[in-house]
Amino acid sequence: ARPGVVRGDGHSDYGAVLRQFMDEQAGGLSRDCVVIICGDARANYRPERAELLRALRGRVRAVHWLNPEPAADWDTTDSRMRAYRPYCDSVTEARTLRQLSAWVDKLM
């Protein structure tokens, strides 16, 4: 519900969020940071701006993407998981507590 994260039409805009995050937080990012993105990777037919995720990945120790949609739905219609995946250390379906717990166990 924060301004700039979800557009007035109620749809997310990962390209805009990545741009905003880099503009506001890039100076504080270092190799000590781990970024966890929780979301469906749907661009809602807006520019995905994967180059911003690439730049972000170059500044931090790791990027992990937790996607609440079934993996079978990734890269369908407006999903852009394929564009973001190369810049993530892990991309995980996390729809249930069991899946989230398995992801945590794998990291540990």
Side-chain angles (χ1 to χ4, degrees):
R2 286 178 283 178
V5 175
V6 175
R7 294 253 178 133
D9 64 4
H11 294 102
S12 57
D13 182 345
Y14 284 90
V17 170
L18 289 167
R19 172 79 278 150
Q20 182 180 349
F21 184 79
M22 291 299 285
D23 288 347
E24 296 176 4
Q25 305 299 324
L29 297 175
S30 72
R31 299 301 289 170
D32 293 328
C33 297
V34 173
V35 175
I36 300 172
I37 301 170
C38 301
D40 61 13
R42 293 198 174 272
N44 293 295
Y45 304 102
R46 297 181 176 107
E48 66 211 16
R49 306 293 309 269
E51 74 279 2
L52 294 171
L53 187 58
R54 181 183 70 223
L56 171 62
R57 179 60 189 90
R59 292 175 165 265
V60 299
R61 180 184 312 165
V63 173
H64 300 282
W65 196 302
L66 302 175
N67 192 321
E69 290 194 325
D73 291 343
W74 299 355
D75 303 314
T76 62
T77 63
D78 64 339
S79 173
R80 299 295 178 257
M81 199 72 258
R82 182 178 294 135
Y84 297 129
R85 182 182 289 253
Y87 311 113
C88 298
D89 295 272
S90 71
V91 174
T92 305
E93 180 183 316
R95 301 178 64 216
T96 66
L97 287 175
R98 181 170 291 163
Q99 289 172 316
L100 182 59
S101 178
W103 173 74
V104 170
D105 288 345
K106 184 177 170 184
L107 285 182
M108 299 302 190

